[in-house]
Amino acid sequence: MTIRLHIERLVLDGRWQGLDRAVLVRAVEAELTRLLASGPPGPGLVSSGAVAGLRAADIPGAAGQPEVLGAQIAAALHAGFAARDGGTA
């Protein structure tokens, strides 16, 4: 099975300003890859097509640790994908 995922925009509020964006992106990519490879995708990813938006719950994050925040973002996205309607986790 091939899963192709394109995240056009990831919006973070002001408290995350100053984080190393490259590290954050790599962390999100790595954790999402791991989660999606670990088992079948949820109903929100079974059909092809675009999802206009996916809003996750608030993520506590670890200030100054983009690796931790990236993993938390990926987990929240994965939970949203797993939701029956592909909506908010």
Side-chain angles (χ1 to χ4, degrees), residues 42-54:
L45 281 183
V46 171
S47 63
S48 61
V51 175
L54 181 67

Side-chain angles (χ1 to χ4, degrees), residues 3-88:
I3 297 174
R4 194 172 299 232
L5 176 65
H6 172 76
I7 299 173
E8 185 173 319
R9 182 175 53 191
L10 179 63
V11 179
L12 303 174
D13 66 26
R15 67 183 160 153
W16 304 115
Q17 297 295 325
L19 285 181
D20 187 329
R21 292 177 60 156
V23 172
L24 178 66
V25 168
R26 284 193 303 272
V28 171
E29 289 174 348
E31 183 65 5
L32 264 179
T33 298
R34 186 190 73 74
L35 290 168
L36 292 171
S38 69
L45 281 183
V46 171
S47 63
S48 61
V51 175
L54 181 67
R55 178 171 169 76
D58 288 338
I59 300 170
Q65 296 181 345
E67 300 88 350
V68 174
L69 180 60
Q72 290 173 334
I73 289 169
L77 290 171
H78 187 263
F81 295 146
R84 287 217 172 266
D85 63 357
T88 303

